[in-house]
């Protein structure tokens, strides 16, 4: 646990609304993570489809104190928002915008396809369980 003075307080952009009342299903999140676009960039040891080396290794992401290069605390609200639209949270981020209906700052258009808040909550539940 981080001391209060070390907890980052970077605001989440108002354009990203993530429903934190949703209860995520880790098993569903594991399936989405292992078969979705995550496989193009991330590694999770023990998951054969997740062996890419472009993005951060997510093997123990649930035990990290921060995400986004230390800009945000590693909690469900911030991780869900990050998955939904990392580029809006941290301009210049290489991570793709994944949230349905989000404006992608890289391609300058709103996504008509993508993950729903429930799907994101499922992925978050899975990732938070990786200790």
């Amino acid at each position: 646990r981080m001391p209060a003075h070390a907890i980052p307080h970077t605001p989440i952009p108002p354009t990203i609304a993530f429903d934190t009342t949703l209860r995520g299903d880790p098993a569903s999140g594991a399936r989405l993570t292992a078969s979705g676009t995550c496989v193009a960039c991330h590694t999770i040891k023990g998951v054969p489809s997740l062996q890419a080396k472009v993005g951060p290794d997510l093997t123990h992401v649930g035990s990290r104190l921060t995400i986004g290069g230390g800009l945000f605390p590693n909690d469900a609200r911030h991780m869900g928002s990050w998955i939904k639209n990392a580029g809006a949270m941290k301009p210049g981020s290489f991570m793709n915008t994944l949230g349905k209906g989000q404006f992608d700052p890289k391609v300058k258009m709103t996504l008509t396809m993508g993950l729903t808040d429930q799907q994101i909550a499922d992925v978050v539940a899975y990732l938070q369980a990786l200790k």
Side-chain angles (χ1 to χ4, degrees), residues 34-47:
S35 64
T37 60
C38 309
V39 301
C41 299
H42 296 288
T43 295
I44 296 178
K45 288 181 179 72
V47 181

Side-chain angles (χ1 to χ4, degrees), residues 6 8-10 66-73 90:
H9 295 286
T10 307
T66 62
I67 59 170
L71 290 177
F72 304 98
K90 182 180 179 184

Side-chain angles (χ1 to χ4, degrees), residues 6-125:
I7 297 172
H9 295 286
T10 307
I12 295 173
T15 57
I16 304 173
F18 175 65
D19 185 353
T20 57
T21 65
L22 294 172
R23 188 168 180 85
D25 173 28
S28 177
R31 286 189 297 276
L32 284 165
T33 302
S35 64
T37 60
C38 309
V39 301
C41 299
H42 296 288
T43 295
I44 296 178
K45 288 181 179 72
V47 181
S49 62
L50 284 152
Q51 299 300 315
K53 305 291 183 201
V54 178
D57 184 323
L58 300 177
T59 302
H60 301 290
V61 70
S63 63
R64 294 182 193 157
L65 300 175
T66 62
I67 59 170
L71 290 177
F72 304 98
N74 185 9
D75 57 30
R77 177 175 160 246
H78 288 90
M79 185 177 281
S81 298
W82 180 265
I83 293 167
K84 196 167 191 174
N85 196 338
M89 290 186 69
K90 182 180 179 184
S93 169
F94 291 119
M95 182 153 162
N96 292 329
T97 299
L98 300 176
K100 184 176 183 175
Q102 285 292 297
F103 180 80
D104 186 326
K106 282 187 241 172
V107 297
K108 309 274 189 261
M109 60 186 288
T110 300
L111 300 181
T112 56
M113 301 190 61
L115 299 175
T116 65
D117 276 10
Q118 182 61 62
Q119 290 172 314
I120 292 171
D122 293 346
V123 171
V124 168

